[in-house]
Amino acid sequence: MRLASCAFYLLSCLTFGLCLVNSSSSDSEVNGAPLPVVLWHGMGDTCCFPFSLGSIKKLIEEHTNGTYVRSLKIGGNLVLDYESGFFIHPNKQVDYVCKQLAQDEKLTDGYNAIGFSQGGQFLRALAQRCPSPPMRTLISLGGQHQGIFGLPKCPTLKQSSCEYITKLLNYAAYEDWVQQQLVQATYWHDPLHETSYRLKSTFLADINNELYVNERYSENLNKLKRLVLVKFLNDTIVQPKESQWFQFYEPGQDQHIQPLNQSKVYENLGLALLEQRKRLHLLSVEGDHLAISKDWFVKHLVPMLLD
């Protein structure tokens, strides 16, 4: 029975894209008034499921004296919010969120942000394109900042649907209609066809300054107090998992990972300057995609929301 319970729990983690493991740590006492926190969910999730971002929202509130936490909902209801993770182009989502946050008076003085899986690169795009209200700290949990080249699992989708999406990505990711209709195609990064990726990617190549260098992106990214990139060491969803640290395959092959400081994005996007200023933080955690404990979250991430 215990083995069956553990198996069900792990399946829930991979299905809904986020797990917080109960821990024995007591609540910490917090003084002062920390900045508000904005959350952006990943693929196959929504803003408000009580077992995913709902629990994260509650956890942050408990450990920050009830600071304001806004979990982003794309569209007017949870169905649209869920579908946005697959079928609403990231450019449209980022533009929508930019307008929504500008109308939120509680964010006027700035906010911290946490992105889950693809929500990590969406929030980074927001920081680069929409600097008002100002984002102070960006924490990316499992974000695919150099894209993906493989889709081994599709949370909350039937196997047949996952197989269909995988075939589209493998054979037609850079077709215009696929780019416009499938979110995952917009950050599909084929190292065997780098030119096609740079020319035809309608989202990731742009926010990574890979087609041409948009200095505004670099300047806005360097306004962050911190860029925190969390990699899951046993990740079975993100391929390659090093993308969570802005690393990727060396061009022309899909075996060897290029060191971050040897990639063009390191200079072109201003990551080198962020690292020089000690604002780039690379963290790692044991576990599969987004499977983190409350202890780890409170110990490593909550202090960044309080500072």
Side-chain angles (χ1 to χ4, degrees), residues 235-256:
D235 205 309
T236 62
I237 292 181
V238 177
Q239 292 187 353
K241 63 179 178 291
E242 289 82 5
S243 181
Q244 298 166 76
W245 276 4
F246 259 108
Q247 295 172 309
F248 204 67
Y249 300 116
E250 293 179 356
Q253 52 82 52
D254 60 357
Q255 298 296 321
H256 302 292

Side-chain angles (χ1 to χ4, degrees), residues 72-296:
L72 293 171
K73 180 169 64 175
I74 309 301
N77 56 61
L78 291 184
V79 174
L80 285 175
D81 191 31
Y82 170 82
E83 291 178 346
S84 72
F86 297 99
F87 306 122
I88 299 180
H89 197 286
N91 291 338
K92 293 180 180 179
Q93 295 192 53
V94 171
D95 183 61
Y96 174 83
V97 169
C98 182
K99 294 174 181 176
Q100 291 292 310
L101 298 190
Q103 298 172 9
D104 191 336
E105 295 181 355
K106 296 180 180 179
L107 305 179
T108 302
D109 295 327
Y111 64 96
N112 296 320
I114 305 178
F116 300 83
S117 195
Q118 66 184 23
Q121 60 257 35
F122 295 174
L123 278 171
R124 176 168 64 84
L126 186 72
Q128 294 172 200
R129 295 174 175 176
C130 184
S132 180
M135 188 186 299
R136 305 301 187 184
T137 289
L138 171 56
I139 299 172
S140 169
L141 290 163
Q144 304 90 34
H145 294 281
Q146 275 277 38
I148 58 172
F149 189 53
L151 192 67
K153 295 179 181 179
C154 309
T156 73
L157 287 183
K158 294 180 179 179
Q159 183 65 26
S160 58
S161 299
C162 184
E163 290 175 354
Y164 176 70
I165 289 177
T166 301
K167 288 180 180 178
L168 277 180
L169 292 173
N170 279 323
Y171 299 107
Y174 301 127
E175 295 292 332
D176 185 64
W177 69 272
V178 179
Q179 284 284 312
Q180 295 305 317
Q181 296 185 28
L182 183 61
V183 167
Q184 289 67 43
T186 69
Y187 57 87
W188 183 261
H189 187 167
D190 186 343
L192 306 179
H193 300 90
E194 282 285 342
T195 300
S196 294
Y197 158 69
R198 289 195 302 270
L199 292 176
K200 297 180 180 180
S201 168
T202 56
F203 176 66
L204 189 68
D206 175 66
I207 66 168
N208 281 0
N209 273 348
E210 294 180 277
L211 184 57
Y212 68 94
V213 176
N214 186 333
E215 293 184 358
R216 181 170 63 93
Y217 285 175
S218 175
E219 292 170 0
N220 287 339
L221 193 63
N222 270 274
K223 291 177 181 178
L224 289 173
K225 183 177 182 179
R226 293 188 193 89
L227 174 59
V228 184
L229 306 177
V230 180
K231 178 174 68 175
F232 292 85
L233 296 176
N234 310 111
D235 205 309
T236 62
I237 292 181
V238 177
Q239 292 187 353
K241 63 179 178 291
E242 289 82 5
S243 181
Q244 298 166 76
W245 276 4
F246 259 108
Q247 295 172 309
F248 204 67
Y249 300 116
E250 293 179 356
Q253 52 82 52
D254 60 357
Q255 298 296 321
H256 302 292
I257 300 296
Q258 184 179 55
L260 174 60
N261 60 7
Q262 294 180 18
S263 65
K264 292 182 179 180
V265 71
Y266 185 66
E267 294 291 341
N268 291 348
L269 194 57
L271 296 174
L273 185 56
L274 271 174
E275 186 169 45
Q276 179 183 337
R277 293 173 171 175
K278 301 187 184 304
R279 296 181 184 179
L280 179 63
H281 303 264
L282 305 179
L283 304 182
S284 62
V285 59
E286 294 287 346
D288 206 337
H289 192 60
L290 298 186
I292 55 178
S293 70
K294 289 184 178 180
D295 272 339
W296 193 91

